Amino acid sequence: MKSFAMETRAFIGGNFVTAASGETIKKECPADGSAIEGVPSCGEAEVELAVKSARAAYKAGVWRNKSLKERKEVLLKLASLMEEQREQLASLDTYETGRAYRNYYEDSIPKAIEVVKYFAESIDKIYDNCVLPSSSEFAAIIREPLGVVACITPWNDPLVPANWKIIPALLMGNSVIVKPAEQSSLSIILEATLAKNAGIPDGVLNIVTGYGDIAGKALALHNDVDGVFFTGSSEVGKLILQYSGMSNMKKVGLECGGKSAFIVSASCKRLKEAAGVLAASMFYNQGQICSAPSRAIIDNKIKAEFMEYLKIEAQKYVPQDPFSPESIVGGVVSKEQQLKIEQYISLGKESGYAVFQFSGKNTPRNGVFPTIFENVEPGSRLFKEEIFGPVLIVLGFDSLDEAINIANDSIFGLAGAIWTDDLREVNYAARNIEAGIIHVNSYGNDDNSVPFGGYKQSGIGKDKSVYAFDEYSQIKTVWVSV
Ligand code: NAD
């Protein structure tokens, strides 16, 4: 395995630090099982230090008092430094998560850089408001930063969801503390060092590495943190809400799990294309995607034909060595995650559902073969639970109402799709599927200008787009009598 000459320590107040306890995160490279060493398991002492540094920088105004133009220029400089380090960032993420290097180099890292550019370019194009309640007074309605903001992020795509939060939070003038997932800390540490080189003052961006139930919990419970913004499982999202209530009622934003529905109507003329989009959206990154369309709901009139196309398409996403240049799909992030997914696959087989499992060569250490279960019962664990692996379930329907009822029979509401050539079905499904993002004859379309976020237990608030600035700010009204 390639070795990386880089910093692995936490980054607090502009300095690299180890944990006072001397503890490090215990983890291995998914691709070859070698130990990844030297990433501190931070505890309350480091969280305290990070909050103090962040608060001091905020109070001093070293960042929030800079003009919008200055903040924008620093962030654009960060984007260009990240471009120079694109290969290193992609290597670090592959090394830690086992996802294909090509995915990171060609897709994720450029996307993470685009996020920085998009928000930097937007910050001086958003406006606050003013109202004139009478002829002798006006009220300015202004957004102010929250203060000290914590961002707790997942491993499945280490830099993109993290930057969806960190960058608008910084541009609004906050001081930020990031707690990356324990599985993937290295690329965000590198990004923080680049941010310092770009001109982010010490204390304004801090990285506290460590375990969720220690470092993450301490941050979310801290009385001097003003907002906590989390991407991860719904289970932990609920804990974050509790921590806020148990401490200082800090503002909470949550981007959580999903079990998204992909409906294909008999009126859809492009079944092959629909099957291709479903397979790509579901099996890319071994299904470790929050918005993966993991429940396919197919009109019984065309289901047999659709399944034939789907089986051909799914075969393209068998896992291979993540560092191989041909590989578009690597393995899953850890042995623990692999075992969890395989338990769901065993459960599906024991339940007697029709199963299609696709095999291949050059299988990586943590690879899981794409698996499709047909005619899974609503109410079963396979139907209800987020597997976060390459396991797709397929159900049939006879009317659009039945399809929408199946789609909505979930605690989640992140995304959904309908494929149809009937405009009335488009309108009806788009209005009635309970999810934050509805795709029509498409899936997973992505642009920084469009908000992303779920309904129900998939989350609270929005990432991406200019709406994201609202998350990291609070509204103040200033009454002026003249
Ligand atoms: P996770 O909930 O286990 O962990 C997410 C983060 O929370 C990690 O940094 C972890 O260390 C931290 N954490 C864990 N326990 C904590 C606690 N008690 N207090 C504070 N922090 C804690 O999720 P994961 O396994 O890293 O990621 C997979 C999950 O993330 C899936 O459910 C997926 O759907 C979701 N996800 C959602 C989105 C989205 O935008 N909606 C994007 C990516 C991933």
mmCIF file of all heavy atoms in Angstrom, residues 294-319:
data_model
loop_
_atom_site.group_PDB
_atom_site.id
_atom_site.type_symbol
_atom_site.label_atom_id
_atom_site.label_comp_id
_atom_site.label_asym_id
_atom_site.label_seq_id
_atom_site.Cartn_x
_atom_site.Cartn_y
_atom_site.Cartn_z
ATOM 1 N N SER A 294 -32.999 2.600 -3.106
ATOM 2 C CA SER A 294 -32.872 1.194 -2.683
ATOM 3 C C SER A 294 -34.190 0.426 -2.706
ATOM 4 O O SER A 294 -34.217 -0.761 -2.409
ATOM 5 C CB SER A 294 -32.222 1.128 -1.299
ATOM 6 O OG SER A 294 -32.878 2.009 -0.427
ATOM 7 N N ARG A 295 -35.291 1.127 -3.048
ATOM 8 C CA ARG A 295 -36.578 0.413 -3.238
ATOM 9 C C ARG A 295 -37.081 0.724 -4.652
ATOM 10 O O ARG A 295 -37.513 1.847 -4.930
ATOM 11 C CB ARG A 295 -37.612 0.869 -2.205
ATOM 12 C CG ARG A 295 -37.284 0.413 -0.774
ATOM 13 C CD ARG A 295 -38.346 0.856 0.205
ATOM 14 N NE ARG A 295 -38.514 2.295 0.201
ATOM 15 C CZ ARG A 295 -39.643 2.929 0.463
ATOM 16 N NH1 ARG A 295 -40.733 2.252 0.771
ATOM 17 N NH2 ARG A 295 -39.694 4.251 0.445
ATOM 18 N N ALA A 296 -37.026 -0.288 -5.535
ATOM 19 C CA ALA A 296 -37.557 -0.110 -6.892
ATOM 20 C C ALA A 296 -39.004 -0.594 -6.888
ATOM 21 O O ALA A 296 -39.288 -1.715 -6.431
ATOM 22 C CB ALA A 296 -36.722 -0.902 -7.882
ATOM 23 N N ILE A 297 -39.906 0.255 -7.376
ATOM 24 C CA ILE A 297 -41.345 -0.062 -7.342
ATOM 25 C C ILE A 297 -41.816 -0.023 -8.800
ATOM 26 O O ILE A 297 -41.898 1.053 -9.410
ATOM 27 C CB ILE A 297 -42.083 0.957 -6.437
ATOM 28 C CG1 ILE A 297 -41.432 0.968 -5.040
ATOM 29 C CG2 ILE A 297 -43.566 0.621 -6.335
ATOM 30 C CD1 ILE A 297 -41.862 2.117 -4.154
ATOM 31 N N ILE A 298 -42.042 -1.208 -9.356
ATOM 32 C CA ILE A 298 -42.167 -1.332 -10.809
ATOM 33 C C ILE A 298 -43.579 -1.813 -11.176
ATOM 34 O O ILE A 298 -44.091 -2.787 -10.583
ATOM 35 C CB ILE A 298 -41.124 -2.344 -11.356
ATOM 36 C CG1 ILE A 298 -39.726 -2.088 -10.754
ATOM 37 C CG2 ILE A 298 -41.092 -2.315 -12.893
ATOM 38 C CD1 ILE A 298 -39.083 -0.759 -11.096
ATOM 39 N N ASP A 299 -44.163 -1.160 -12.169
ATOM 40 C CA ASP A 299 -45.500 -1.527 -12.656
ATOM 41 C C ASP A 299 -45.488 -2.996 -13.085
ATOM 42 O O ASP A 299 -44.615 -3.409 -13.873
ATOM 43 C CB ASP A 299 -45.839 -0.612 -13.854
ATOM 44 C CG ASP A 299 -47.317 -0.616 -14.167
ATOM 45 O OD1 ASP A 299 -47.925 -1.703 -14.133
ATOM 46 O OD2 ASP A 299 -47.850 0.474 -14.461
ATOM 47 N N ASN A 300 -46.430 -3.777 -12.556
ATOM 48 C CA ASN A 300 -46.429 -5.222 -12.857
ATOM 49 C C ASN A 300 -46.518 -5.504 -14.356
ATOM 50 O O ASN A 300 -46.054 -6.550 -14.810
ATOM 51 C CB ASN A 300 -47.578 -5.914 -12.116
ATOM 52 C CG ASN A 300 -47.211 -6.123 -10.643
ATOM 53 O OD1 ASN A 300 -46.057 -6.417 -10.307
ATOM 54 N ND2 ASN A 300 -48.184 -5.937 -9.756
ATOM 55 N N LYS A 301 -47.091 -4.555 -15.122
ATOM 56 C CA LYS A 301 -47.261 -4.804 -16.572
ATOM 57 C C LYS A 301 -45.906 -4.865 -17.301
ATOM 58 O O LYS A 301 -45.795 -5.507 -18.333
ATOM 59 C CB LYS A 301 -48.139 -3.704 -17.195
ATOM 60 C CG LYS A 301 -49.573 -3.731 -16.691
ATOM 61 C CD LYS A 301 -50.485 -2.867 -17.530
ATOM 62 C CE LYS A 301 -50.650 -1.459 -16.988
ATOM 63 N NZ LYS A 301 -51.065 -1.294 -15.593
ATOM 64 N N ILE A 302 -44.911 -4.185 -16.754
ATOM 65 C CA ILE A 302 -43.612 -4.153 -17.458
ATOM 66 C C ILE A 302 -42.472 -4.729 -16.597
ATOM 67 O O ILE A 302 -41.301 -4.644 -16.970
ATOM 68 C CB ILE A 302 -43.247 -2.690 -17.868
ATOM 69 C CG1 ILE A 302 -43.485 -1.710 -16.707
ATOM 70 C CG2 ILE A 302 -44.039 -2.253 -19.071
ATOM 71 C CD1 ILE A 302 -42.299 -1.094 -16.150
ATOM 72 N N LYS A 303 -42.827 -5.291 -15.456
ATOM 73 C CA LYS A 303 -41.789 -5.676 -14.481
ATOM 74 C C LYS A 303 -40.829 -6.732 -15.045
ATOM 75 O O LYS A 303 -39.604 -6.619 -14.875
ATOM 76 C CB LYS A 303 -42.461 -6.179 -13.203
ATOM 77 C CG LYS A 303 -41.526 -6.436 -12.062
ATOM 78 C CD LYS A 303 -42.263 -6.322 -10.736
ATOM 79 C CE LYS A 303 -41.594 -7.094 -9.634
ATOM 80 N NZ LYS A 303 -41.927 -8.512 -9.640
ATOM 81 N N ALA A 304 -41.360 -7.743 -15.726
ATOM 82 C CA ALA A 304 -40.481 -8.814 -16.220
ATOM 83 C C ALA A 304 -39.461 -8.245 -17.213
ATOM 84 O O ALA A 304 -38.257 -8.538 -17.131
ATOM 85 C CB ALA A 304 -41.316 -9.914 -16.865
ATOM 86 N N GLU A 305 -39.925 -7.392 -18.113
ATOM 87 C CA GLU A 305 -39.021 -6.795 -19.107
ATOM 88 C C GLU A 305 -37.976 -5.900 -18.410
ATOM 89 O O GLU A 305 -36.785 -5.959 -18.706
ATOM 90 C CB GLU A 305 -39.861 -5.964 -20.100
ATOM 91 C CG GLU A 305 -39.044 -5.401 -21.236
ATOM 92 C CD GLU A 305 -39.863 -4.451 -22.132
ATOM 93 O OE1 GLU A 305 -41.084 -4.281 -21.894
ATOM 94 O OE2 GLU A 305 -39.251 -3.873 -23.055
ATOM 95 N N PHE A 306 -38.468 -5.096 -17.458
ATOM 96 C CA PHE A 306 -37.569 -4.184 -16.739
ATOM 97 C C PHE A 306 -36.477 -4.968 -16.005
ATOM 98 O O PHE A 306 -35.305 -4.585 -16.008
ATOM 99 C CB PHE A 306 -38.380 -3.331 -15.748
ATOM 100 C CG PHE A 306 -37.554 -2.300 -15.038
ATOM 101 C CD1 PHE A 306 -37.256 -1.090 -15.632
ATOM 102 C CD2 PHE A 306 -37.026 -2.561 -13.767
ATOM 103 C CE1 PHE A 306 -36.468 -0.143 -14.994
ATOM 104 C CE2 PHE A 306 -36.248 -1.623 -13.115
ATOM 105 C CZ PHE A 306 -35.965 -0.407 -13.728
ATOM 106 N N MET A 307 -36.862 -6.082 -15.375
ATOM 107 C CA MET A 307 -35.888 -6.874 -14.605
ATOM 108 C C MET A 307 -34.782 -7.423 -15.509
ATOM 109 O O MET A 307 -33.629 -7.517 -15.090
ATOM 110 C CB MET A 307 -36.584 -8.025 -13.860
ATOM 111 C CG MET A 307 -37.464 -7.586 -12.700
ATOM 112 S SD MET A 307 -36.627 -6.561 -11.465
ATOM 113 C CE MET A 307 -35.493 -7.724 -10.736
ATOM 114 N N GLU A 308 -35.138 -7.758 -16.742
ATOM 115 C CA GLU A 308 -34.096 -8.258 -17.666
ATOM 116 C C GLU A 308 -33.052 -7.170 -17.926
ATOM 117 O O GLU A 308 -31.853 -7.415 -17.876
ATOM 118 C CB GLU A 308 -34.717 -8.724 -18.996
ATOM 119 C CG GLU A 308 -35.546 -10.003 -18.878
ATOM 120 C CD GLU A 308 -34.826 -11.117 -18.105
ATOM 121 O OE1 GLU A 308 -33.669 -11.402 -18.429
ATOM 122 O OE2 GLU A 308 -35.430 -11.657 -17.142
ATOM 123 N N TYR A 309 -33.516 -5.947 -18.179
ATOM 124 C CA TYR A 309 -32.580 -4.823 -18.391
ATOM 125 C C TYR A 309 -31.755 -4.572 -17.120
ATOM 126 O O TYR A 309 -30.552 -4.324 -17.167
ATOM 127 C CB TYR A 309 -33.331 -3.537 -18.739
ATOM 128 C CG TYR A 309 -34.007 -3.546 -20.080
ATOM 129 C CD1 TYR A 309 -35.343 -3.179 -20.207
ATOM 130 C CD2 TYR A 309 -33.309 -3.891 -21.243
ATOM 131 C CE1 TYR A 309 -35.973 -3.161 -21.444
ATOM 132 C CE2 TYR A 309 -33.933 -3.880 -22.479
ATOM 133 C CZ TYR A 309 -35.265 -3.512 -22.570
ATOM 134 O OH TYR A 309 -35.865 -3.501 -23.788
ATOM 135 N N LEU A 310 -32.449 -4.606 -15.972
ATOM 136 C CA LEU A 310 -31.777 -4.267 -14.714
ATOM 137 C C LEU A 310 -30.641 -5.252 -14.429
ATOM 138 O O LEU A 310 -29.558 -4.847 -13.981
ATOM 139 C CB LEU A 310 -32.812 -4.279 -13.575
ATOM 140 C CG LEU A 310 -32.293 -3.895 -12.199
ATOM 141 C CD1 LEU A 310 -31.733 -2.475 -12.188
ATOM 142 C CD2 LEU A 310 -33.407 -4.012 -11.143
ATOM 143 N N LYS A 311 -30.860 -6.519 -14.706
ATOM 144 C CA LYS A 311 -29.826 -7.527 -14.416
ATOM 145 C C LYS A 311 -28.576 -7.272 -15.269
ATOM 146 O O LYS A 311 -27.452 -7.420 -14.797
ATOM 147 C CB LYS A 311 -30.384 -8.931 -14.655
ATOM 148 C CG LYS A 311 -31.296 -9.381 -13.513
ATOM 149 C CD LYS A 311 -31.778 -10.792 -13.732
ATOM 150 C CE LYS A 311 -33.271 -10.833 -13.844
ATOM 151 N NZ LYS A 311 -33.803 -12.113 -14.304
ATOM 152 N N ILE A 312 -28.784 -6.850 -16.507
ATOM 153 C CA ILE A 312 -27.623 -6.551 -17.378
ATOM 154 C C ILE A 312 -26.867 -5.335 -16.827
ATOM 155 O O ILE A 312 -25.637 -5.321 -16.749
ATOM 156 C CB ILE A 312 -28.097 -6.293 -18.832
ATOM 157 C CG1 ILE A 312 -28.720 -7.567 -19.399
ATOM 158 C CG2 ILE A 312 -26.954 -5.794 -19.718
ATOM 159 C CD1 ILE A 312 -29.540 -7.356 -20.662
ATOM 160 N N GLU A 313 -27.621 -4.316 -16.417
ATOM 161 C CA GLU A 313 -26.991 -3.067 -15.946
ATOM 162 C C GLU A 313 -26.264 -3.263 -14.613
ATOM 163 O O GLU A 313 -25.180 -2.725 -14.404
ATOM 164 C CB GLU A 313 -28.052 -1.962 -15.804
ATOM 165 C CG GLU A 313 -28.684 -1.542 -17.119
ATOM 166 C CD GLU A 313 -27.691 -0.871 -18.061
ATOM 167 O OE1 GLU A 313 -26.747 -0.234 -17.568
ATOM 168 O OE2 GLU A 313 -27.863 -1.011 -19.290
ATOM 169 N N ALA A 314 -26.873 -4.045 -13.702
ATOM 170 C CA ALA A 314 -26.295 -4.207 -12.359
ATOM 171 C C ALA A 314 -24.937 -4.900 -12.427
ATOM 172 O O ALA A 314 -24.035 -4.627 -11.623
ATOM 173 C CB ALA A 314 -27.254 -4.994 -11.460
ATOM 174 N N GLN A 315 -24.780 -5.781 -13.408
ATOM 175 C CA GLN A 315 -23.529 -6.528 -13.577
ATOM 176 C C GLN A 315 -22.323 -5.591 -13.754
ATOM 177 O O GLN A 315 -21.190 -5.942 -13.455
ATOM 178 C CB GLN A 315 -23.685 -7.464 -14.781
ATOM 179 C CG GLN A 315 -22.497 -8.336 -15.105
ATOM 180 C CD GLN A 315 -22.227 -9.393 -14.019
ATOM 181 O OE1 GLN A 315 -23.141 -10.024 -13.522
ATOM 182 N NE2 GLN A 315 -20.958 -9.549 -13.656
ATOM 183 N N LYS A 316 -22.582 -4.361 -14.246
ATOM 184 C CA LYS A 316 -21.471 -3.415 -14.492
ATOM 185 C C LYS A 316 -20.837 -2.905 -13.193
ATOM 186 O O LYS A 316 -19.802 -2.262 -13.236
ATOM 187 C CB LYS A 316 -21.986 -2.188 -15.267
ATOM 188 C CG LYS A 316 -22.498 -2.507 -16.649
ATOM 189 C CD LYS A 316 -23.044 -1.229 -17.294
ATOM 190 C CE LYS A 316 -23.632 -1.524 -18.661
ATOM 191 N NZ LYS A 316 -24.437 -0.400 -19.178
ATOM 192 N N TYR A 317 -21.516 -3.125 -12.065
ATOM 193 C CA TYR A 317 -21.069 -2.487 -10.814
ATOM 194 C C TYR A 317 -20.518 -3.487 -9.799
ATOM 195 O O TYR A 317 -20.603 -3.267 -8.606
ATOM 196 C CB TYR A 317 -22.212 -1.646 -10.217
ATOM 197 C CG TYR A 317 -22.619 -0.567 -11.188
ATOM 198 C CD1 TYR A 317 -23.666 -0.783 -12.092
ATOM 199 C CD2 TYR A 317 -21.916 0.620 -11.271
ATOM 200 C CE1 TYR A 317 -24.005 0.173 -13.041
ATOM 201 C CE2 TYR A 317 -22.248 1.589 -12.210
ATOM 202 C CZ TYR A 317 -23.287 1.359 -13.085
ATOM 203 O OH TYR A 317 -23.603 2.309 -14.016
ATOM 204 N N VAL A 318 -19.939 -4.588 -10.300
ATOM 205 C CA VAL A 318 -19.298 -5.514 -9.357
ATOM 206 C C VAL A 318 -18.013 -4.855 -8.846
ATOM 207 O O VAL A 318 -17.330 -4.149 -9.588
ATOM 208 C CB VAL A 318 -19.005 -6.904 -9.984
ATOM 209 C CG1 VAL A 318 -20.280 -7.639 -10.311
ATOM 210 C CG2 VAL A 318 -18.102 -6.786 -11.185
ATOM 211 N N PRO A 319 -17.699 -5.069 -7.565
ATOM 212 C CA PRO A 319 -16.535 -4.374 -7.000
ATOM 213 C C PRO A 319 -15.206 -4.932 -7.501
ATOM 214 O O PRO A 319 -15.094 -6.124 -7.781
ATOM 215 C CB PRO A 319 -16.691 -4.611 -5.499
ATOM 216 C CG PRO A 319 -17.512 -5.845 -5.382
ATOM 217 C CD PRO A 319 -18.403 -5.895 -6.576
#
